[in-house]
Amino acid sequence: MASDDDDVNVGLIEVYRHRLRDLIVVDPVLDHLDFIEYDQKEQIRQKARTDGNIAATNLLISAVIKKPHNLGWFTAFVDALKHSGCYSAAEYMQVPPRPEVEAENDTCVKLIQLLSPSLVEMPTEEVRLHCFSKGLISQEDSDIIQTTTTNKGPISGARELLRCIVRAQTGWFSTFLDILRETDHKNLYELTGRPSDFDNKGSDDKLPSLMDESTGSAAAAAESCDSPQLMDISISEEPEADLYEAVSTDPRQLPHSLEPPQQAAARGPEKADIVLRDYQKDVARPALEGENIIICLPTGSGKTRVAVYITKKHLDRRRAEGCSGKVVVLVNKVPLVEQHYSAEFLPFLKPSYKVERVSGDCQLKISFTEIVKNNDVIICTAQILENFLERSNNGEDEGVKLSDLTLIVIDECHHTQKGEVYNHIMMRYLMQKHKNRRLKKEQKEPVPLPQILGLTASPGVGAATIMKKAEDHILRICANLDASKIMTSSLGEHKREPRKVVQTVEDRKEDPFGDVIKNIMNAIHAHAELSPTSDLGSQNYEQWVVQKERIAATEENQKVRVCAEHLRQYSEGLNLSNTIRMRDAFSFLNKYYDEEIKKKATPDDERDIQITDTERFLFNLFKDKKEELQKLADNPQYENDSLTKLRSKVLHEFSSREAARGIIFTKTRRSAIALSQWIQENPKFADIGVKASHMIGGGDQSVVKPMTMAEQRDVLTKFRDGDVNLLIATTVAEEGLDIAACNFVIRYGLVTNEIAMIQAQGRGRAEDSSYTLVEVKNSGVAEKECVNEYRINMMNKAIDKIRALDQADYDKRILEFQIQAIMEEKVRMTKKKQKCMQYEKCEVKFSCRSCSKPVCTGEDIQIIENMHRVNVTPEFSQLFNKRENTTLQERLLDYETNYFIACKDCGQRWGSMMLYKGIDCPCLHVKNFVVTFNGKKISKCTKWSELAIKFPAFDYAEHASRLADDEDTD
């Protein structure tokens, strides 16, 4: 029976773990727990010092529930909570409050947080004594408050008191009101609803009354904290970035700790109005009146919160008018779907409206058309909406029409430019708007179009170098979004500017590792009779090498082609040695040569694949220098200065802050992974509590294995929860993803454009945050940063000039850009049709990129799911070997990619072997072939989309029947 009780008690603790995390203060509770060993207590206390109270509480709870249990452990735990002043936590363990009581208490806690700026003016010492005498705080709490008041003053003491009372037993709010009244707290009127100076300040954010109008009793109102008036202010005014700060902060440092949005959503969203700051109201106003606008606010200023507010008001208005509303929120990255759903739209819009999310990563197995029909708000990736708009347009099925929607919210709307999926959607919109003008002239009913709301931190200036071009760039984005205005606002006191530092680096006095690589490269130049025109390892050199490889492939000059391919790898190795450790650069080169040598052997070792004299020369060249490179790579005295500067900066940030959290942005996936490993392997970082992890993109365009969406989500969750406090990321984390507030941001040898720079700076949202640029050799980041600062300044001036335009002038210029865009789109579509008509499958030939062997023609290729180009002819199956795909990470529903396929003659990879519904289908990757059209070789063709040929759909039934017949014949 005791065991059964233990299981029940463990279950109770697990159920309320998220509550206990907010209500327990680790240090005093540990003092009263005898059944936890001393070493473990010290480990938990260390966790509190390095990662904060919440992380330590999780560790404490795990220690408490760990089996085997001592007799009476649960009672001892509850007593420890009581004796340490965590009364509310003890209540949850004894008689958990009813949901409505729990909700009331949450509301009261949030109210204390909202009013804390005025409550800190209370007579702290007097209020402390009353709170202690009435059991709201423990003796230890009382002593801490008194000490804080003596050392730091009454306001600091008051803050400490407010942090303590929210952990008290149910009913604390009413008692606290009585204490404030008894001590003549001048701002008690804010809690009771009586007139005060606060109500006369002209603010639009006047607090609603909490007074029970029938009795005039503030205490009575406090006993019923779920009154409609109070629920109006039950959501903090802080934007989403600030909510994340609260999640990861010690409850002793805040009036209370908010739950992460994901947990709040899982627990059940609360019905509440959304309170906006003044600057958020300013930018939202035109949209509330039904206008199409772009909202341009810095990262972390609450743009998404404004969008939720506009969405709710839009749906409310439509409902009041007796019409249905249909809102689609478009994002350009899959992780943003879940983020916007869980953190913003679901908590604020349910239960009034149905909210759903859909992405390529989504597990929902019903039609997107049905999801749109059955929900009020749909959050999805833009490509999904575009696909279903196209389906409707082609008549494939019902699909989705723009007229089905009443509001489209476009996140990161600066991507609404040529070639982007956002622009494809908006071109449909503009063309229909253009048709509507004609329909009105003909006195016909126009097709209804949705309202458009664009969100961005920076529209950028494109390729502009002068003000006029910058204005045109921004106006073109406004035109593409059919925006009547671009709305910006000063953040005033809420603005956060990180301190900016540029770390210049010194060239190595000696670089023997780099010198060996350059000697190898020069030997290859001589062998291939190549004369480089720029410094080895520079960006210009890499572009030159890529161009040489393309030309050589089309000319079937295999000597130059293979040399150029190897030179590109050495150039990358040279760059890596300037960015990360030399041993990482060596490991990269060594792995490349191991893979190349493996290509030259068949899986069954029946026969060797041909090795040319040039390949043999290249293999021997690396083999001769391998030992020397490895020896130099292990000598730390030759490491690059960039890594030294980065080490110093990270150590400084973590040793000078109580709870540091930061992001390092780097250029490549390989450098992100290597930097993460470097930090994890260095004991100096571990000693000061650095817990690093990397985050890279999910696309498969790189030789480095991409991260799955699940892996990305896991890293971000750990970062928000404090299990990871240093994120090393590629540009995937720069834009859109709502990453927890950081103390510092470092751009390590990476500067792209002014938009990315603004996004990266915006990640540093915590107080006293810093933004550091660490230079890396050949990156030119210092110069690029200066250019970007100039471009940001030009962008801001351009926006100001556009906002100052007379509305008629603005509308005229927007209309001109829209007509131009429509004409360009019509020309593009006409050319595309003509091109498709010209391209006949039989006129296209494919040959091996490495050995120039003819492989197949366009007639042999079919397409699966409008995506995978396969060749299932018996003739083709005789031309390649199958090699196991060791990097296979996840199995897909209808097909699996288990093997690579490679040329039997030279070992060049051609693609992958798909298992599609039980049939092996060789899937071709066009970048591995030289494409010939009408006898002319195409020098650059890296994606199938660049080849305007429509291949027939794969006939599964026919191929399966043929295979069955072949088996019967055998």
Side-chain angles (χ1 to χ4, degrees):
M1 187 63 188
S3 176
D4 292 341
D5 289 343
D6 277 357
D7 291 341
V8 169
N9 292 330
V10 168
L12 182 67
I13 292 172
E14 285 288 14
V15 165
Y16 288 109
R17 180 188 278 259
H18 71 283
R19 286 287 180 186
L20 295 176
R21 189 193 64 177
D22 294 340
L23 297 170
I24 289 176
V25 181
V26 166
D27 274 330
V29 172
L30 283 173
D31 291 339
H32 296 282
L33 281 177
D34 297 328
F35 61 84
I36 295 180
E37 296 294 334
Y38 175 80
D39 289 347
Q40 196 166 15
K41 284 185 180 182
E42 286 305 302
Q43 184 184 352
I44 296 168
R45 285 195 167 102
Q46 179 62 29
K47 186 81 170 173
R49 285 191 289 272
T50 58
D51 300 344
N53 192 79
I54 291 174
T57 302
N58 276 328
L59 198 59
L60 169 65
I61 292 170
S62 298
V64 167
I65 64 178
K66 186 179 179 182
K67 294 182 180 180
H69 291 129
N70 296 333
L71 191 63
W73 67 275
F74 184 73
T75 303
F77 177 53
V78 175
D79 288 344
L81 295 176
K82 290 177 183 175
H83 292 141
S84 59
C86 302
Y87 303 118
S88 188
E91 266 189 347
Y92 272 93
M93 295 297 94
Q94 293 175 302
V95 184
R98 300 189 310 279
E100 60 270 23
V101 175
E102 190 175 29
E104 288 170 15
N105 187 70
D106 288 347
T107 302
C108 296
V109 170
K110 289 173 183 177
L111 181 61
I112 290 294
Q113 182 191 36
L114 190 64
L115 297 179
S116 60
S118 56
L119 288 174
V120 293
E121 297 174 8
M122 69 175 81
T124 306
E125 192 57 23
E126 201 176 346
V127 173
R128 175 188 69 82
L129 292 170
H130 280 71
C131 288
F132 178 60
S133 66
K134 296 194 176 179
L136 291 187
I137 59 175
S138 66
Q139 178 67 62
E140 184 170 350
D141 287 336
S142 178
D143 292 343
I144 291 172
I145 295 164
Q146 187 176 25
T147 303
T148 304
T149 304
T150 302
N151 295 336
K152 298 183 180 179
I155 289 179
S156 295
R159 290 196 189 104
E160 193 66 52
L161 189 148
L162 292 175
R163 293 173 192 131
C164 294
I165 61 164
V166 296
R167 299 195 299 268
Q169 292 171 300
T170 304
W172 61 270
F173 186 79
S174 176
T175 306
F176 186 55
L177 286 185
D178 290 337
I179 291 170
L180 292 178
R181 184 185 298 106
E182 290 169 20
T183 54
D184 294 324
H185 180 39
K186 67 179 181 180
N187 284 308
L188 175 62
Y189 302 113
E190 290 183 29
L191 293 172
T192 62
R194 296 173 188 167
S196 72
D197 293 340
F198 179 86
D199 291 323
N200 296 320
K201 290 179 181 176
S203 170
D204 290 333
D205 293 325
K206 293 177 184 176
L207 289 169
S209 169
L210 296 187
M211 176 174 270
D212 185 320
E213 293 180 356
S214 62
T215 64
S217 166
E223 291 297 328
S224 182
C225 281
D226 60 345
S227 64
Q229 295 96 330
L230 181 54
M231 292 309 292
D232 283 346
I233 58 168
S234 64
I235 298 300
S236 166
E237 287 189 283
E238 301 301 303
E240 60 264 47
D242 299 326
L243 291 179
Y244 284 129
E245 285 185 61
V247 171
S248 57
T249 308
D250 185 348
R252 282 181 169 269
Q253 297 171 348
L254 285 171
H256 86 295
S257 231
L258 293 175
E259 290 178 304
Q262 292 88 340
Q263 290 189 12
R267 191 188 72 239
E270 299 174 358
K271 183 179 180 180
D273 279 350
I274 305 153
V275 178
L276 298 184
R277 288 173 166 165
D278 287 344
Y279 70 84
Q280 292 171 318
K281 290 179 183 177
D282 288 342
V283 297
R285 202 162 280 123
L288 297 175
E289 295 166 4
E291 292 186 52
N292 292 356
I293 64 167
I294 295 172
I295 291 177
C296 181
L297 288 175
T299 302
S301 59
K303 291 186 297 296
T304 312
R305 182 66 48 82
V306 178
V308 177
Y309 182 82
I310 292 169
T311 298
K312 187 172 188 303
K313 294 299 180 185
H314 172 86
L315 292 171
D316 289 347
R317 187 180 72 250
R318 299 277 303 182
R319 183 176 282 180
E321 293 169 354
C323 309
S324 64
K326 193 73 64 180
V327 181
V328 169
V329 181
L330 299 180
V331 299
N332 62 335
K333 292 179 182 175
V334 173
L336 289 171
V337 174
E338 185 64 37
Q339 176 182 295
H340 286 343
Y341 173 79
S342 300
E344 294 292 334
F345 285 88
L346 183 69
F348 288 111
L349 298 182
K350 274 205 169 185
S352 301
Y353 298 102
K354 292 180 181 177
V355 185
E356 192 52 86
R357 79 284 205 198
V358 188
S359 72
D361 196 39
C362 184
Q363 299 303 310
L364 293 172
K365 297 305 173 193
I366 61 173
S367 163
F368 180 71
T369 306
E370 289 302 309
I371 291 171
V372 171
K373 282 181 181 176
N374 297 329
N375 291 278
D376 303 299
V377 180
I378 303 94
I379 304 162
C380 66
T381 43
Q383 191 61 56
I384 287 178
L385 178 62
E386 167 63 11
N387 291 347
F388 279 81
L389 290 171
E390 182 63 22
R391 287 165 79 111
S392 174
N393 186 52
N394 291 341
E396 289 180 38
D397 55 30
E398 195 175 356
V400 175
K401 299 181 179 70
L402 284 174
S403 56
D404 296 333
L405 313 175
T406 59
L407 171 65
I408 299 179
V409 180
I410 301 181
D411 193 31
E412 308 297 345
C413 69
H414 53 270
H415 289 297
T416 314
Q417 300 183 56
K418 279 184 185 177
E420 302 271 5
V421 65
Y422 283 164
N423 209 46
H424 295 160
I425 293 168
M426 285 308 302
M427 282 312 304
R428 296 177 188 276
Y429 178 102
L430 293 178
M431 294 178 88
Q432 185 58 58
K433 184 181 177 183
H434 188 62
K435 288 177 186 174
N436 281 351
R437 289 196 192 98
R438 190 179 68 245
L439 291 172
K440 285 179 182 177
K441 286 179 182 177
E442 297 170 358
Q443 296 185 331
K444 293 179 181 177
E445 191 68 27
V447 175
L449 287 171
Q451 181 183 352
I452 305 295
L453 172 64
L455 308 175
T456 183
S458 164
V461 295
T465 54
I466 59 173
M467 184 63 68
K468 174 67 170 62
K469 295 292 184 183
E471 286 179 54
D472 285 350
H473 172 82
I474 296 168
L475 281 168
R476 191 171 281 108
I477 291 173
C478 292
N480 292 345
L481 288 158
D482 196 36
S484 64
K485 291 179 176 67
I486 179 167
M487 300 299 296
T488 61
S489 181
S490 170
L491 272 57
E493 63 184 31
H494 304 294
K495 187 174 183 180
R496 290 178 180 172
E497 287 282 351
R499 289 177 287 107
K500 185 171 178 179
V501 180
V502 177
Q503 295 268 18
T504 56
V505 298
E506 296 177 11
D507 265 350
R508 294 179 173 101
K509 291 178 181 177
E510 290 182 89
D511 184 15
F513 181 85
D515 291 341
V516 172
I517 291 179
K518 288 177 182 177
N519 289 336
I520 294 173
M521 294 171 78
N522 285 326
I524 298 173
H525 294 148
H527 179 83
E529 299 177 1
L530 292 169
S531 301
T533 54
S534 50
D535 293 340
L536 306 190
S538 66
Q539 191 170 343
N540 287 338
Y541 177 83
E542 188 166 334
Q543 290 169 351
W544 174 79
V545 166
V546 169
Q547 187 66 19
K548 287 293 179 186
E549 192 277 336
R550 283 180 185 155
I551 294 170
T554 56
E555 292 177 351
E556 297 186 14
N557 184 341
Q558 297 307 332
K559 181 178 182 179
V560 171
R561 189 202 64 79
V562 73
C563 283
E565 198 175 85
H566 284 243
L567 284 170
R568 189 177 180 184
Q569 304 305 316
Y570 281 115
S571 181
E572 173 74 357
L574 208 53
N575 279 319
L576 288 173
S577 76
N578 290 325
T579 308
I580 51 181
R581 295 174 296 185
M582 292 182 293
R583 60 193 271 195
D584 296 313
F586 171 76
S587 175
F588 156 71
L589 289 171
N590 193 44
K591 184 177 179 183
Y592 172 75
Y593 275 93
D594 282 346
E595 290 293 322
E596 288 299 299
I597 290 167
K598 279 181 188 175
K599 287 181 184 178
K600 299 302 176 181
T602 55
D604 51 15
D605 290 327
E606 286 182 3
R607 65 185 181 91
D608 283 338
I609 292 169
Q610 67 182 36
I611 300 177
T612 64
D613 290 340
T614 295
E615 286 171 333
R616 192 170 285 106
F617 164 76
L618 292 167
F619 291 154
N620 289 333
L621 193 57
F622 180 75
K623 184 180 177 182
D624 292 344
K625 298 294 183 180
K626 179 177 175 179
E627 191 175 330
E628 184 181 0
L629 283 171
Q630 185 162 19
K631 187 176 179 181
L632 290 168
D634 291 331
N635 191 334
Q637 77 178 86
Y638 300 128
E639 285 293 6
N640 64 72
D641 190 41
S642 300
L643 212 53
T644 306
K645 291 285 197 300
L646 181 63
R647 181 193 295 113
S648 300
K649 181 62 183 172
V650 173
L651 290 173
H652 170 74
E653 291 290 346
F654 276 90
S655 58
S656 62
R657 298 179 186 273
E658 191 173 332
R661 186 196 303 265
I663 304 180
I664 299 171
F665 288 107
T666 185
K667 188 175 180 180
T668 66
R669 295 178 177 187
R670 191 173 280 110
S671 61
I673 295 168
L675 286 172
S676 179
Q677 290 173 342
W678 167 62
I679 290 169
Q680 290 166 7
E681 292 168 9
N682 193 323
K684 285 186 178 179
F685 291 116
D687 290 345
I688 57 171
V690 179
K691 294 168 293 184
S693 186
H694 67 272
M695 181 174 170
I696 60 176
D700 202 13
Q701 76 279 10
S702 166
V703 292
V704 179
K705 185 181 83 67
M707 261 183 148
T708 65
M709 295 303 161
E711 288 170 332
Q712 287 182 350
R713 278 198 300 269
D714 182 53
V715 170
L716 288 177
T717 300
K718 287 179 178 177
F719 191 62
R720 288 185 184 121
D721 292 346
D723 296 328
V724 168
N725 54 21
L726 181 60
L727 196 62
I728 299 96
T730 54
T731 53
V732 68
E734 273 184 339
E735 186 178 283
L737 295 183
D738 199 347
I739 295 171
C742 297
N743 305 114
F744 65 94
V745 173
I746 300 171
R747 284 177 74 88
Y748 185 65
L750 170 69
V751 171
T752 47
N753 58 23
E754 70 281 5
I755 296 174
M757 179 175 161
I758 289 172
Q759 297 278 4
Q761 285 181 340
R763 298 285 160 236
R765 302 179 196 166
E767 293 294 338
D768 191 32
S769 59
S770 67
Y771 172 81
T772 304
L773 184 72
V774 178
E775 202 172 7
V776 168
K777 188 177 179 181
N778 289 331
S779 65
V781 293
E783 295 83 357
K784 290 177 186 174
E785 189 83 354
C786 290
V787 170
N788 282 343
E789 285 176 351
Y790 167 76
R791 290 162 70 84
I792 289 170
N793 188 42
M794 183 165 64
M795 179 192 75
N796 291 332
K797 287 180 179 177
I799 291 174
D800 289 342
K801 289 188 75 172
I802 290 168
R803 284 175 54 78
L805 283 173
D806 177 78
Q807 190 65 40
D809 291 339
Y810 173 88
D811 292 343
K812 181 173 181 290
R813 293 182 70 178
I814 290 297
L815 182 59
E816 288 171 358
F817 279 122
Q818 288 180 343
I819 292 170
Q820 180 187 340
I822 290 168
M823 295 306 294
E824 287 174 353
E825 180 68 7
K826 287 181 177 178
V827 170
R828 187 185 71 82
M829 294 302 293
T830 303
K831 284 183 177 178
K832 186 178 178 183
K833 285 178 183 176
Q834 291 172 347
K835 204 172 184 182
C836 287
M837 289 170 66
Q838 290 173 2
Y839 274 43
E840 294 293 336
K841 298 186 296 298
C842 61
E843 294 179 301
V844 181
K845 297 177 181 178
F846 300 89
S847 55
C848 177
R849 193 170 190 86
S850 178
C851 66
S852 305
K853 177 176 72 175
V855 174
C856 64
T857 69
E859 283 187 322
D860 302 320
I861 296 177
Q862 296 175 311
I863 188 165
I864 294 176
E865 295 179 1
N866 206 29
M867 188 187 310
H868 309 284
R869 277 76 174 179
V870 299
N871 185 342
V872 293
T873 61
E875 296 80 13
F876 181 67
S877 65
Q878 302 301 311
L879 303 178
F880 63 82
N881 291 316
K882 286 200 305 183
R883 297 179 180 277
E884 189 174 356
N885 181 358
T886 54
T887 60
L888 178 67
Q889 291 297 307
E890 54 182 310
R891 296 182 183 276
L892 306 177
L893 290 176
D894 294 325
Y895 58 84
E896 300 174 352
T897 52
N898 292 323
Y899 295 91
F900 293 120
I901 58 172
C903 177
K904 269 187 177 179
D905 289 351
C906 68
Q908 167 73 42
R909 281 185 186 171
W910 286 350
S912 54
M913 180 64 77
M914 292 173 54
L915 182 63
Y916 178 71
K917 296 181 180 178
I919 296 177
D920 278 338
C921 298
C923 179
L924 278 60
H925 300 174
V926 72
K927 65 182 179 182
N928 298 320
F929 299 92
V930 173
V931 182
T932 305
F933 171 66
N934 276 348
K936 183 181 177 182
K937 288 177 176 148
I938 302 172
S939 63
K940 182 186 176 184
C941 191
T942 58
K943 298 177 184 176
W944 282 109
S945 58
E946 294 169 358
L947 202 58
I949 302 176
K950 192 170 182 179
F951 296 106
F954 176 63
D955 192 331
Y956 175 80
E958 181 189 349
H959 190 64
S961 299
R962 194 171 72 220
L963 288 176
D965 291 342
D966 291 344
E967 288 176 8
D968 291 342
T969 304
D970 293 341

